């Protein structure tokens, strides 16, 4: 009877709870809602009266917080943690399902989730894209959109780093070029200095050779004068004094021309450097003449056998051996 009295239009429709929206659990990202807030939102959506009653009960029994509450055992538990990508994927496909879901999740995330249609993504990658890959792509795009300043800063720093690397390479090239130029300049300077030193050394040995030749001319001239005057020019000197004078009068083939500097190496150095500017034939002729000049019998003839002591003759013999070896060496190359 009661049911017949109530019009059909006035009958209440059965109440249906709205299906829960999965919460996004982005890892340590403040730009996305946390699981705690999402769980609390779902709980308040499903049981608003019971949740408010629980809050009032908790307020009146704050002193008995440690005592068990029988009414709390009937309250629903918060859902267990969900993997961040799984939660986001569920939110994404819920937003793609209808406009209501798209609007809801757009408010939750602060930006629309349906801005990257799956067809466009698959066209971009040239093939089918799985749910997880599609969710990752959308999530990355959302992050880039909400963190544009960070991306710009990264790109700016990357450009600065690239410019710094290019500047460093340019500096290295300039330093290398400058080093090569300085090296070439030093090489040229060393070459000029070496050439000047060689020229000066050659001139020094030429002067030493000319001085050596003039000294022998003076010796021969004085010998002729002594022979013309019957050798009485130094008749008042003792034999020892004559021997000492003879050693000092001999033009020794060393750069200084003195007997105290005579040695095998010094004599060889003198002839090699003094005759270095001469051609092969002229050098051979000069060495043959020197070989005759320094023969021990020829030295006795020029200076008198009795006026030459044994030490002086040892020096003469050493000079002759060096000249003889140089002459024989020049004949072997002929």
């Amino acid at each position: 009877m009661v049911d017949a009295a109530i019009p059909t239009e006035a009958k209440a429709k059965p109440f249906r709870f709205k299906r829960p929206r999965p919460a996004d659990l982005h890892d340590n990202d403040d730009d996305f809602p946390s699981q705690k807030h999402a769980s609390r939102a779902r709980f308040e959506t499903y049981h608003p009266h019971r949740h408010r009653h629980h809050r009032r009960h908790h307020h009146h029994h704050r002193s008995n917080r440690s005592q068990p509450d029988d009414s709390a055992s009937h309250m629903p538990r918060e859902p267990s943690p969900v993997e961040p990508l799984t939660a986001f994927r569920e939110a994404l496909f819920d937003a793609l399902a209808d406009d209501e879901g798209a609007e809801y999740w757009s408010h939750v995330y602060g930006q629309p989730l349906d801005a990257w249609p799956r067809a466009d993504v698959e066209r971009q990658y040239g093939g089918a894209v799985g749910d997880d890959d599609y969710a990752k792509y959308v999530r990355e795009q959302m992050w880039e959109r909400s963190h544009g300043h960070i991306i710009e800063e990264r790109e700016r720093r990357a450009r600065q780093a690239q410019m710094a690397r290019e500047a460093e390479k340019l500096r290295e090239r300039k330093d290398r070029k400058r080093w090569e130029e300085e090296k070439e300049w030093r090489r040229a300077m060393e070459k000029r200095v070496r050439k000047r030193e060689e020229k000066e050394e050659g001139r020094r040995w030429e002067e030493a050779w000319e001085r050596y030749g003039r000294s022998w001319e003076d010796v021969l001239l004085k010998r002729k004068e002594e022979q013309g005057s019957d050798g009485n020019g130094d008749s008042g000197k003792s034999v020892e004094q004559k021997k000492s004078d003879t050693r000092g009068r001999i033009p020794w083939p060393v750069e200084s021309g003195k007997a105290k500097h005579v040695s095998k190496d010094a004599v060889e150095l003198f002839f090699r450097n003094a005759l270095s500017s001469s051609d092969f034939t002229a050098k051979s002729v000069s060495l043959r003449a020197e070989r005759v000049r320094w023969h021990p019998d020829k030295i006795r003839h020029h200076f008198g056998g009795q006026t030459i002591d044994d030490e002086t003759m040892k020096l003469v013999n050493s000079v002759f051996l060096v000249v003889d070896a140089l002459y024989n060496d020049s004949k072997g190359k002929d």
Side-chain angles (χ1 to χ4, degrees):
M1 295 295 292
V2 177
D3 293 337
I6 300 175
T8 305
E9 293 77 11
K11 286 185 178 180
K13 294 181 180 180
F15 178 78
R16 295 179 59 186
F17 287 102
K18 187 177 179 179
R19 68 175 183 272
R21 309 280 186 181
D24 181 78
L25 300 179
H26 196 278
D27 289 338
N28 297 325
D29 196 337
D30 295 338
D31 292 344
F32 295 104
S34 64
Q35 179 187 1
K36 180 178 180 181
H37 294 167
S39 301
R40 182 179 301 166
R42 288 198 298 270
F43 178 74
E44 292 177 353
T45 301
Y46 304 150
H47 308 281
H49 301 290
R50 188 175 300 181
H51 182 70
R52 288 195 296 269
H53 172 72
H54 172 68
R55 292 180 64 182
R56 290 196 301 269
H57 179 79
H58 180 73
H59 176 72
H60 292 297
H61 298 278
R62 179 174 298 180
S63 60
N64 298 328
R65 183 177 299 177
S66 60
Q67 298 178 1
D69 190 351
D70 294 338
S71 61
S73 62
H74 299 290
M75 297 175 60
R77 298 181 179 179
E78 293 186 356
S80 59
V82 184
E83 290 295 332
L85 182 59
T86 302
F88 179 79
R89 183 184 61 193
E90 293 178 1
L92 172 63
F93 288 109
D94 188 45
L96 296 173
D98 50 47
D99 295 339
E100 184 183 1
E103 182 180 2
Y104 174 80
W105 289 113
S106 176
H107 288 296
V108 172
Y109 285 94
Q111 56 179 307
L113 277 67
D114 57 349
W116 298 273
R118 188 165 190 164
D120 294 346
V121 177
E122 291 179 345
R123 188 162 44 253
Q124 178 180 347
Y125 284 94
V129 177
D131 292 347
D132 288 344
D133 292 335
Y134 176 59
K136 289 180 181 178
Y137 176 84
V138 174
R139 194 180 186 188
E140 291 175 357
Q141 297 300 317
M142 291 177 62
W143 188 91
E144 291 181 2
R145 175 178 291 183
S146 60
H147 294 74
H149 62 287
I150 297 179
I151 297 175
E152 292 177 359
E153 180 65 18
R154 289 178 179 175
E155 294 176 351
R156 186 186 66 82
R157 292 183 180 181
R159 288 193 299 269
Q160 289 182 345
Q162 180 64 23
M163 293 174 60
R165 288 192 295 269
E166 293 177 356
E168 180 65 19
K169 290 180 180 179
L170 179 61
R171 186 186 63 79
E172 290 178 355
R173 286 195 297 268
K174 290 182 178 179
D175 291 345
R176 189 181 301 109
K177 182 179 180 181
R178 183 167 59 252
W179 181 82
E180 291 291 342
E181 292 175 352
E182 291 178 355
K183 183 179 179 181
E184 187 65 25
W185 180 82
R186 288 195 299 270
R187 188 184 296 111
M189 288 297 299
E190 291 174 357
K191 184 177 180 180
R192 286 196 291 269
V193 171
R194 185 167 56 254
K195 187 175 181 179
R196 183 172 62 250
E197 291 177 349
E198 291 174 356
K199 187 176 180 179
E200 292 176 356
E201 184 178 5
R203 187 184 300 110
R204 189 178 73 249
W205 285 110
E206 288 177 1
E207 293 174 356
W209 178 256
E210 292 174 359
R211 187 167 57 251
Y212 172 75
R214 288 195 301 269
S215 297
W216 270 108
E217 291 176 358
D218 293 342
V219 168
L220 297 178
L221 180 61
K222 188 173 183 179
R223 180 61 180 168
K224 289 182 180 180
E225 294 174 353
E226 290 176 352
Q227 291 177 350
S229 61
D230 296 329
N232 295 326
D234 55 354
S235 58
K237 295 182 179 180
S238 64
V239 176
E240 294 299 328
Q241 289 178 337
K242 291 181 179 180
K243 290 181 179 181
S244 177
D245 291 344
T246 300
R247 183 182 299 182
R249 289 171 55 193
I250 297 177
W252 299 98
V254 291
E255 186 176 5
S256 65
K258 297 180 180 180
K260 63 181 180 179
H261 294 143
V262 174
S263 66
K264 178 179 179 299
D265 294 337
V267 173
E268 184 176 351
L269 179 67
F270 175 81
F271 283 112
R272 289 190 183 278
N273 290 333
L275 300 176
S276 61
S277 60
S278 303
D279 57 20
F280 179 79
T281 302
K283 183 183 296 185
S284 181
V285 171
S286 299
L287 289 173
R288 182 172 59 186
E290 292 296 319
R291 182 174 179 272
V292 173
R293 173 179 291 169
W294 284 98
H295 193 279
D297 295 338
K298 198 69 173 177
I299 294 297
R300 289 191 182 95
H301 174 74
H302 288 318
F303 297 97
Q306 295 181 353
T307 60
I308 302 178
D309 58 4
D310 294 340
E311 292 297 326
T312 301
M313 287 306 301
K314 287 181 180 180
L315 294 177
V316 171
N317 287 331
S318 65
V319 171
F320 174 77
L321 292 176
V322 172
V323 175
D324 184 63
L326 293 173
Y327 174 70
N328 292 331
D329 184 60
S330 65
K331 288 197 307 180
K333 295 179 180 180
D334 191 357

